[in-house]
Amino acid sequence: MDIDRITTTNAPKPAGHYSQACGYRDLIFVSGQLPVSLEGKARADLSVEEQVRLALGNMLAIVKAAGSGPDRVLKVTAFIVGVENWPVFNRVYAELFGESRPARSVVPVASLHHGCVVEVEAIAARGP
């Protein structure tokens, strides 16, 4: 039972005791990604759109490092502060995923770490 610990310099290093992602057989489990810069700075100062782009970009960079891509993402879970931010999230998400339509849950929450408005996690399949 081999579990891969997936790491890339194209996404922020974990700030705690976890991996950017873990792979098992043909599946990749991406840890929750906040809008954090490559230098490790939480960017709650950015607009909602910019935070969504950064968090999704971090998640997709990890998916790519694991040998996958947006078209192989099976499930995304998004935690969003404020239901009013859902339309912005949905627009940026649709832009970044294009024709890919993974299963998705959007969970409204009262707050997130560092005052950020979005956190995303994913499950993806490996492959071309």
Side-chain angles (χ1 to χ4, degrees):
M1 197 172 14
D2 292 327
I3 297 173
D4 301 327
R5 307 293 179 211
I6 297 159
T7 305
T8 179
T9 57
N10 293 323
K13 291 180 183 177
H17 188 71
Y18 61 94
S19 299
Q20 288 175 325
C22 291
Y24 179 72
R25 296 189 180 176
D26 290 336
L27 293 176
I28 303 155
F29 300 86
V30 181
S31 294
Q33 298 298 306
L34 291 164
V36 175
S37 70
L38 291 178
E39 298 77 34
K41 181 178 184 215
R43 297 301 312 270
D45 60 314
L46 297 175
S47 71
V48 172
E49 179 173 342
E50 291 169 319
Q51 287 190 52
V52 171
R53 283 186 188 284
L54 184 54
L56 287 171
N58 290 339
M59 185 259 299
L60 290 171
I62 295 166
V63 166
K64 181 178 180 183
S68 190
D71 59 323
R72 309 261 314 151
V73 173
L74 303 170
K75 172 79 165 69
V76 173
T77 303
F79 304 93
I80 298 177
V81 176
V83 174
E84 67 276 6
N85 293 318
W86 195 323
V88 173
F89 172 81
N90 197 54
R91 180 175 48 78
V92 175
Y93 179 93
E95 178 187 323
L96 294 178
F97 275 94
E99 295 301 313
S100 300
R101 291 182 180 258
R104 182 181 87 177
S105 297
V106 179
V107 183
V109 295
S111 64
L112 288 168
H113 200 45
H114 304 297
C116 297
V117 298
V118 65
E119 181 173 355
V120 293
E121 63 182 27
I123 300 169
R126 294 187 207 239

